[in-house]
Amino acid sequence: MLEREVIQSVGFRNIRENGSITGFQFKIRLPYYRGVFLCQLRPGTLFVDGERFEKEDIVWNVDGVDYTWEDMKTDMDTHWNVTRPAVLKVKKEGGLSQGFHDLTYGFCFTSSYMPPIMQDALDPDEEAVIFMPEFGKHVNSRRLIIV
Amino acid sequence: MYNYQHKGPKRGVSLYSYSADFGMIKNLEDCLEDMYDMGAHGLEILANTHIENYPNPTDAWVDEWFRLLNKYEIVPVEYGNWIDSHILGHRELTTEESYRMLARDIKLAAKLGFTVMRTKMPVIDDDLAPVKNWREFIEMALPLAEEYNIRMCPEIHTPTNLKSKMIDDYVEFIEKTGTKYFGLNIDFSVFRTEFGPGDHRSPKFTPNDPEDMIPLLPYIYCCHAKFNHMSDEFEETTIPFRRIIEVMQEHNWDGYLLSEYEGADKYTPGYEVGQTLRKQHIMLKRYLGD
């Protein structure tokens, strides 16, 4: 089952490849009331304890397949369902240290049935002018523990 | 498949109502069992929300879908789909691309037993006017819709007025083509007369009288029974439901009223939207004599 928070607590861990820790991952759910195709997504910036990670450096894993930001921009066929969290993977040699970490991540998505003036102003790292709960917040934060 | 024999307006639920809970504290079966408790037989799903692995559900999921519909005596009425013309951001989809998106949904809707689609149009302005090429891609899809027995219906929603150019354009298209496979879904938000303090009211909005629906009834294949506030005496206090239903009955309209609860309070932790739906269904049962 999903947690109500957009950033999920389950799935937050360091990534180990060939015996060494190469980065970390966490899961997010889509706070919109419907699923989206990957090209609808507007990924933004991740901050972990103030350290900044750009959208180009974050890989999205949807239903077991990795997508870079470049891959996602034109993908009109892969659908991210509201009931399946996406895994976000970030390269960071040595991973994150044991203990608490403050995560803040921004992303949003387009909706063709909303007035274009609202669509043009979409910014994943800033909230929309009018908050609509069925779209969720763009920027979400959570403090989570690495073991 | 379950067959509900009843002429006239009848009760159903749009699973959009459960949007704050779906996937967290309720799954598809929970929603359908809630409907069974209410005796609501008509179902609207949102394709992009409620179909696992949309747009490619597995055969096992489709088998489970029909098992659940039979178990809870549910008729699949309306399949909510979107034509996402602005999906790429940097350019609009071509007519051909929009058609392909629509065709994929027509086939899937029919596979799941639906007969109506709530075809959400992409818009180009604040008045929610549809994209310029809507006639082209709808016309391209008409033969397929006929083959699969699907009626594509844009949803007419506040602040749009039933007496407006948008509706005139849709009606003109229906009359010109003579099609039975394109029509309207009227969202009862267009009839809302009461707004409480803090309720958003668009400056563009003028409420319609229920009678304004009469000339459109032949083209209306289902409705969103939008509601905003149910009292504990089981009355809706913002929309003239009693009169709306009388108008539909007087004119022998036959179809489903799909409850759609859109109140922002449903996102408050602990809010129980199922109980809100039950209140509305007590009201609807009384008005419908059901």
Side-chain angles (χ1 to χ4, degrees), chain B residues 46-238:
Chain B
L46 305 180
N48 307 38
T49 307
H50 300 110
I51 299 172
E52 202 173 287
N53 293 313
Y54 172 85
N56 304 302
T58 62
D59 291 344
W61 187 88
V62 175
D63 290 346
E64 174 68 0
W65 165 256
F66 284 110
R67 187 187 72 79
L68 292 174
L69 296 185
N70 281 326
K71 180 174 179 188
Y72 297 110
E73 301 181 353
I74 304 277
V75 179
V77 175
E78 189 175 51
Y79 171 107
N81 72 302
W82 286 261
I83 300 166
D84 269 307
S85 287
H86 307 148
I87 194 168
L88 287 171
H90 63 281
R91 68 165 175 89
E92 270 192 16
L93 296 190
T94 64
T95 297
E96 177 66 31
E97 286 168 332
S98 303
Y99 165 75
R100 281 206 298 270
M101 197 174 255
L102 194 47
R104 177 173 65 193
D105 281 312
I106 288 171
K107 291 176 187 169
L108 183 50
K111 184 174 182 178
L112 300 180
F114 290 93
T115 51
V116 180
M117 288 202 325
R118 190 289 331 262
T119 297
K120 197 79 169 176
M121 292 282 189
V123 309
I124 53 168
D125 62 26
D126 288 359
D127 294 329
L128 309 180
V131 285
K132 298 266 189 241
N133 61 342
W134 72 265
R135 290 178 185 79
E136 285 78 26
F137 56 69
I138 294 293
E139 205 155 358
M140 273 176 91
L142 285 178
L144 195 70
E146 181 167 2
E147 182 187 342
Y148 285 88
N149 192 33
I150 294 286
R151 284 140 205 84
M152 299 174 278
C153 296
E155 175 186 0
I156 312 305
H157 189 284
T158 186
T160 304
N161 196 282
L162 297 183
K163 294 174 170 175
S164 63
K165 182 173 184 303
M166 189 197 297
I167 309 304
D168 293 346
D169 286 350
Y170 287 145
V171 169
E172 187 196 312
F173 177 86
I174 294 165
E175 290 178 346
K176 206 178 102 200
T177 56
T179 185
K180 299 270 181 238
Y181 299 93
F182 181 79
L184 303 172
N185 168 333
I186 306 299
D187 183 283
F188 290 172
S189 61
V190 301
F191 302 118
R192 181 172 184 177
T193 53
E194 306 302 320
F195 290 81
D199 286 347
H200 174 70
R201 179 178 179 157
S202 164
K204 295 173 190 292
F205 175 67
T206 310
N208 280 108
D209 293 327
E211 288 76 7
D212 294 345
M213 189 169 44
I214 295 169
L216 303 174
L217 284 171
Y219 313 126
I220 300 173
Y221 294 113
C222 68
C223 290
H224 275 167
K226 170 63 51 60
F227 65 114
N228 303 295
H229 183 257
M230 290 302 306
S231 73
D232 285 343
E233 289 70 46
F234 313 114
E235 295 290 341
E236 214 290 338
T237 60
T238 69

Side-chain angles (χ1 to χ4, degrees), chain B residues 252-265:
Chain B
N252 300 314
W253 186 80
D254 182 33
Y256 281 90
L257 310 179
L258 301 160
S259 296
E260 198 192 55
Y261 189 68
E262 205 170 356
D265 54 356

